[in-house]
Amino acid sequence: MPVIPKKNPMPSQSPEERRRNFREVALGYTRELAQAEAERCLQCKKAPCRQGCPVEIDIPAFIKLIKEGDFEGAIAKIKEKNNLPAICGRVCPQENQCEKYCTLAKKHDPVGIGRLERFVADYQLQNGRVEVPELPPASGYKVAVIGSGPAGLTAAADLARLGHKVTVFEALHVPGGVLMYGIPEFRLPKHVVQAEIDYIRRLGVEIKTNTVVGKVTSVDELLNSGYDAVFIGTGAGLPHFMGIPGENLLGIYSANEFLTRTNLMKAYLFPEYATPIKVGRRVAVIGAGNVAMDAARTALRLGAEEVHIVYRRSEEEMPARKEEIEHAVEEGVKFQLLTSPVEYHGNEQGWVTGMTCIRYELGEPDASGRRRPVAIPGSEFQMEVDTVVVAIGQGPNPLVLRTTPGLELTRKGTIKADETTGATSRPGVFAGGDIVTGAATVILAMGAGKTAARAIDAYLRSKG
Amino acid sequence: MYRIVNKKPLATSIHLMEIEAPEVAAKALAGQFVILRADDCGERIPLTIADYDRQRGTITTIFQEVGFTTRKLATLRAGDYLADFVGPLGQPTEIENYGRVVCVGGGVGVAPVYPIARALKEAGNEVIAIIGARTKELLILEEEMRAVSNELLVATDDGSYGHHGFVTDVLKQVLTERRGIARVWAIGPVVMMRAVAETTRPFGVPTIVSMNPIMVDGTGMCGACRVSVGGETKFACVDGPEFDGHQIDWQLAIRRLNMYKEEEQRALEAQTGGGCRCR
C-alpha cells in the first residue's frame, strides 16, 4: 500500500470570517475525510503512537474501526480509556504526543489522530446514541473529587467505572473548570463540554456545583463524613500579575478574568447575558502561551481593531502550541517579541492609555533551558493601548491548601504528590493536574486524573 | 436552585431576602459574603451576609436596587428561586474582646454591620453603634441594631431623624468624648468608609472597612476585585473583604467600582420586564 504523505486538511472557517465570530474555527472531518485519513494509518505492530498518549488509548485499533466505517465501535474503543474524547480531540497538543511518535511522521505528516478522535466523538454526540458501559457492582466506597476540570472529571469517571460512588465538588455554577471558563467557545464549544460531562453524570457521578471546598466544607470534613478518599484537582486558579506600576488601572485584566467573563459568563452576548466586558481599540496581551493566544483571539472577536501579543523572549521560546500561534497570526494578531511592559499609564479617570515597554535580547540559557531574556538599557519606548490582558501564567489556588493541615506543598505552592500515584503526604488524599504540576495542559491533567483513579482504587481495596 | 423563603421591603428600594441554603448557613460567619446569580443568564454578584439562621438553614441578604441585577432581584418574591448561590466567601470578621468598639453603618451598609455588632457584643465588647441614612425613611434595622449594641446613635443627612448630618460627625464626637475606643468597623458606600477612615486616622484608632468591589468568581481566580492596601495588591474575595481602612487606596476603589457604568446603563435600557432574556 502506498504511503499517503499529506494529512487531510480539516475544513475550517476562513481567518477573515472567523476573526469576528465566536463559532468554532475548525469544523471537523466529514465521514469521507475521516475514512480517507484513517487509510493513511500503517497499523504498525508496535504502535509507537500509543507511548505518546497520556491516557493510553489504543490508537491503531480505533483508527482501524474508522477505516472499516464502524464509527460506534471506534468511539467505544476510545472510551475504554478516555471519557472526554470530543474535548481531547480538540485541545490535546497531539503534535507533542501521539502524532509525534507516528511512524509516518519520520518522513511525512503523521496520521491526524486528534482529528479522527474528534470525528468519532462528534459522530456519537450528533447521532445521540451515547451508550453508558455496564458498570461493575458497587464497591461500597465513596470518593470526593474536588474540582470538575479535566483532572477531576477524568478521575471521577474512571473511579465510577471501577464501581465507586463519586461526588464532584465544583466552586463555580457549572462544571468543567478551565474547559468552561478558560478555553474559548471558538476552540471548544461549551455544548460539547457539557455533553461529555452529561456522559460522566450518567456513569453515576454526582456533581455538586456552587460548593467551595475550603469554605463550605474541607478535605478533613469530607473524610470525616463518609468519604473514603479525596482527589484534589483544583487547578491553577490564581492569576499572576507582574507587580509593575499602574497594573490596577481600569482596562487591565488578568487572562483569567478576561476569559471567564467571555467564556463562562458569555459577555460576548451582553446584554442578553448580564456580565459585561470592556475591550478597547488597541489591546496588548502580555505573554505568549496558549492562554495568551486565546485571550488575543478573543479580543479580536470582541471587536478590538488591533491586538498585540507582547512577549519578552523570541518566537522560538513562545510556549503556545504552534497551531494556536498560526491561528492567531492568520487572524491578524501582531507580535511584539523581545518586549515587555515596565509601567502602565492612565488618564484622569483611571483608564489605561499606554505602557512603557523595554526591549530584550536573549542571553545564556536559564533553569528552564530557554535563553534568558536580558533587558537592553535605554531601549524604552511607549506603546498606546486601551486594554491589557496579563497572561503570564497562573499559580495554585490556595483555598483548599490552606484549609488542609498536613498537606505537604512544594516551594512553588503546588501540592507535593507522587508522580506515579498522585498520593500526597496525607493518607487517602490524592492530587493531580495543575494543582500539582503548575499550569500545564488539559491532557496532562487528564492523565494525572487517570493515574490517581487507579491508585485510589488500589488504596480503597487495600483498606479492606 | 435556591429558594427564597422570605422577601420584604425595608425601605424605598431596599429589600431583605432570606434564601434557603443550609450548607452555607451552617458555616457562615459575620463579615463573610455570598455570590449569587438571579437566573441562567445573570451575572455573579457579591452580597454581604446580613444574617444567618443555622436552624432554619437560611442566609439573609439585604440589598439596594442600584443596577441591573439588584433591580431584577427586587422583582422576585418568596417562593421564587435563585439560579445560583455560593458561600460563605471571604474571611470572617476577627471577633475578640477588644473592650470598647464602635460599629458604623451607612445606608444599606447597616445590614452587614449588624452581625458584626452582634458577634462583638456576644464576645463581651461594649458596642457603640452609629447608623445613618440620607433620610429617616431610608434608615434600616434600627431596632435590630439597638438590640445588639450598648448604645445606638443615629444620623440622617437631612436631619429628619437623629443627628442632622453625617455618621462621621457623630463618630468624631464619640472619639473626642469617649476614652479607650479600641477599634472601629465601618460599612457603607465607599465615600462614607473613606470619610470614616479619615475621621479616625488622627485619633489613631484601628479602623476596619468591608470592601464590596466588582467580582466574578469570588474564589481568588480572576483578580477583578483587586484593592490596593498599603501599596500592596490584595484580592477582596479571598484576602478580605475586610481591610485596614487607613491603608486602602480609596481613589482606586471608587474608580474600579465604576468600571462598567456605561454597560450597566445599556443593560438597564435593554431590560424588558422580568424573566430571563437569554432564552
Side-chain angles (χ1 to χ4, degrees):
Chain A
M1 198 185 66
V3 167
I4 307 162
K6 286 275 172 211
K7 213 189 244 194
N8 284 284
M10 180 154 51
S12 61
Q13 284 195 69
S14 73
E16 301 72 48
E17 187 189 359
R18 73 187 191 229
R19 67 195 291 268
R20 295 296 185 205
N21 72 57
F22 275 86
R23 293 195 307 274
E24 193 169 17
V25 168
L27 303 171
Y29 276 159
T30 58
R31 178 189 277 258
E32 293 71 30
L33 278 169
Q35 284 188 285
E37 186 62 24
E39 284 286 348
R40 297 183 61 232
C41 177
L42 301 175
Q43 292 292 318
C44 312
K45 275 241 161 50
K46 274 192 173 163
C49 50
R50 292 191 65 178
Q51 76 187 76
C53 179
V55 294
E56 309 152 6
I57 294 172
D58 188 346
I59 294 163
F62 96 77
I63 293 181
K64 184 159 181 281
L65 288 162
I66 293 178
K67 198 160 105 180
E68 293 162 358
D70 182 2
F71 305 140
E72 288 290 340
I75 190 64
K77 180 53 74 182
I78 291 174
K79 281 194 170 172
E80 284 173 13
K81 295 291 183 184
N82 181 0
N83 294 296
L84 304 167
I87 294 168
C88 286
R90 286 174 166 82
V91 304
C92 272
Q94 290 100 3
E95 67 278 10
N96 296 324
Q97 298 174 352
C98 50
E99 295 182 17
K100 181 177 171 184
Y101 299 95
C102 176
T103 308
L104 278 180
K106 285 179 190 152
K107 286 191 176 168
H108 310 288
D109 284 354
V111 175
I113 300 169
R115 295 173 183 183
L116 290 172
E117 179 181 32
R118 170 182 165 165
F119 167 74
V120 281
D122 285 357
Y123 175 87
Q124 193 183 39
L125 290 177
Q126 278 153 22
N127 290 282
R129 287 193 301 273
V130 185
E131 302 292 335
V132 175
E134 202 174 318
L135 297 170
S139 69
Y141 292 111
K142 279 172 67 182
V143 183
V145 170
I146 307 173
S148 67
L153 288 175
T154 304
D158 280 18
L159 286 162
R161 290 179 70 168
L162 290 162
H164 307 303
K165 177 86 196 95
V166 184
T167 307
V168 179
F169 297 88
E170 168 56 49
L172 291 171
H173 55 273
V174 287
V178 73
L179 305 170
M180 289 302 290
Y181 75 74
I183 302 176
E185 176 78 16
F186 57 84
R187 228 156 51 76
L188 180 64
K190 301 308 146 210
H191 70 90
V192 171
V193 178
Q194 290 308 312
E196 300 226 302
I197 291 173
D198 278 345
Y199 171 75
I200 289 174
R201 281 204 183 94
R202 285 170 58 207
L203 293 172
V205 171
E206 183 196 2
I207 301 178
K208 288 187 71 167
T209 53
N210 293 325
T211 308
V212 183
V213 179
K215 287 290 172 192
V216 78
T217 184
S218 67
V219 167
D220 283 286
E221 279 184 48
L222 293 170
L223 287 171
N224 292 331
S225 65
Y227 289 98
D228 301 288
V230 174
F231 175 77
I232 305 173
T234 45
L238 182 75
H240 286 159
F241 287 94
M242 291 173 71
I244 60 178
E247 218 168 12
N248 291 332
L249 284 165
L250 307 187
I252 303 182
Y253 288 97
S254 74
N256 269 0
E257 182 184 357
F258 191 74
L259 292 172
T260 300
R261 282 181 178 274
T262 315
N263 299 322
L264 179 77
M265 305 310 297
K266 301 198 189 300
Y268 65 96
L269 298 175
F270 179 86
E272 281 79 8
Y273 282 78
T275 304
I277 194 160
K278 281 263 200 200
V279 175
R281 217 166 45 78
R282 280 171 62 91
V283 178
V285 177
I286 317 301
N290 287 321
V291 172
M293 298 305 145
D294 283 347
R297 298 172 68 196
T298 296
L300 276 178
R301 284 158 173 80
L302 289 169
E305 284 168 28
E306 254 179 63
V307 179
H308 297 264
I309 289 273
V310 179
Y311 180 52
R312 65 194 184 124
R313 301 182 199 241
S314 75
E315 192 173 343
E316 212 168 292
E317 290 82 18
M318 290 200 285
R321 277 181 84 182
K322 216 174 130 233
E323 190 184 315
E324 300 308 329
I325 297 168
E326 283 168 12
H327 276 142
V329 171
E330 285 168 13
E331 290 171 11
V333 172
K334 299 188 166 79
F335 288 74
Q336 306 292 331
L337 302 177
L338 294 164
T339 302
S340 188
V342 289
E343 182 173 1
Y344 296 103
H345 310 286
N347 62 17
E348 275 164 21
Q349 291 79 42
W351 285 91
V352 65
T353 54
M355 53 190 197
T356 303
C357 292
I358 192 163
R359 299 273 188 208
Y360 282 78
E361 58 190 350
L362 293 179
E364 295 301 305
D366 64 11
S368 73
R370 297 181 299 180
R371 291 178 62 191
R372 185 193 303 277
V374 184
I376 304 171
S379 66
E380 287 87 349
F381 68 100
Q382 303 299 320
M383 200 173 154
E384 192 193 310
V385 290
D386 45 21
T387 303
V388 175
V389 182
V390 182
I392 56 166
Q394 302 94 244
N397 188 298
L399 283 185
V400 173
L401 313 183
R402 276 186 203 155
T403 52
T404 312
L407 190 67
E408 230 180 284
L409 306 182
T410 67
R411 263 186 34 220
K412 286 190 302 182
T414 51
I415 298 177
K416 220 179 224 180
D418 185 321
E419 250 179 64
T420 56
T421 62
T424 69
S425 57
R426 290 276 309 266
V429 180
F430 298 76
D434 285 1
I435 193 65
V436 171
T437 56
T441 60
V442 167
I443 188 70
L444 282 178
M446 290 178 56
K450 196 160 207 62
T451 302
R454 202 175 287 152
I456 290 168
D457 181 61
Y459 165 80
L460 293 174
R461 299 198 190 272
S462 73
K463 274 174 76 170
Chain B
M1 301 287 274
Y2 300 81
R3 198 163 66 97
I4 299 167
V5 295
N6 186 15
K7 162 100 189 308
K8 62 181 184 194
L10 294 185
T12 307
S13 80
I14 298 179
H15 304 267
L16 176 149
M17 190 163 71
E18 188 181 359
I19 298 117
E20 196 168 68
E23 291 178 346
V24 184
K27 288 292 168 65
L29 291 169
Q32 292 186 297
F33 65 95
V34 294
I35 282 187
L36 60 82
R37 281 203 321 153
D39 56 43
D40 280 337
C41 47
E43 60 183 334
R44 295 170 63 98
I45 64 156
L47 288 176
T48 315
I49 294 170
D51 204 355
Y52 49 86
D53 187 329
R54 303 206 203 285
Q55 240 96 51
R56 279 162 57 86
T58 60
I59 295 284
T60 298
T61 64
I62 292 173
F63 63 91
Q64 185 163 19
E65 293 175 58
V66 285
F68 176 77
T69 299
T70 45
R71 287 193 199 183
K72 175 160 269 182
L73 288 177
T75 66
L76 300 177
R77 277 171 260 167
D80 288 345
Y81 288 82
L82 298 176
D84 297 291
F85 191 86
V86 58
L89 299 170
Q91 303 296 329
T93 306
E94 286 175 29
I95 302 292
E96 281 174 38
N97 189 349
Y98 297 97
R100 179 180 278 175
V101 297
V102 179
C103 292
V104 187
V108 75
V110 177
V113 158
Y114 167 70
I116 295 172
R118 182 175 63 188
L120 286 166
K121 180 105 186 300
E122 280 167 8
N125 291 280
E126 181 197 335
V127 177
I128 301 169
I130 306 171
I131 63 172
R134 249 182 17 244
T135 182
K136 183 178 185 216
E137 206 280 314
L138 292 173
L139 191 72
I140 59 167
L141 302 185
E142 184 188 353
E143 285 322 304
E144 287 84 349
M145 283 301 291
R146 196 182 304 282
V148 298
S149 49
N150 297 73
E151 189 178 348
L152 180 78
L153 303 163
V154 179
T156 51
D157 297 3
D158 65 357
S160 52
Y161 188 53
H163 169 79
H164 185 161
F166 298 130
V167 285
T168 41
D169 306 337
V170 182
L171 175 64
K172 193 170 180 187
Q173 201 178 348
V174 169
L175 288 166
T176 311
E177 289 170 3
R178 315 288 178 89
R179 294 281 146 230
I181 290 172
R183 216 164 249 250
V184 171
W185 275 262
I187 309 183
V190 176
V191 284
M192 181 215 101
M193 293 195 286
R194 177 174 64 184
V196 168
E198 290 320 315
T199 304
T200 57
R201 196 190 298 274
F203 293 89
V205 179
T207 300
I208 310 298
V209 295
S210 179
M211 304 303 281
N212 190 16
I214 295 168
M215 292 187 185
V216 184
D217 63 287
T219 63
M221 197 189 82
C222 82
C225 64
R226 329 206 263 288
V227 287
S228 179
V229 186
E232 221 182 300
T233 296
K234 300 274 185 190
F235 290 177
C237 68
V238 288
D239 301 320
E242 295 186 1
F243 294 105
D244 178 349
H246 295 149
Q247 305 268 336
I248 296 261
D249 179 340
W250 292 103
Q251 189 191 39
L252 178 72
I254 291 168
R255 284 174 169 176
R256 290 191 71 85
L257 264 181
N258 291 326
M259 183 155 171
Y260 295 103
K261 264 241 158 95
E262 287 168 30
E263 285 73 14
E264 190 78 47
Q265 203 49 44
R266 267 181 67 200
L268 285 169
E269 281 160 14
Q271 194 169 20
T272 51
C276 180
R277 295 158 310 139
C278 62
R279 295 218 179 94

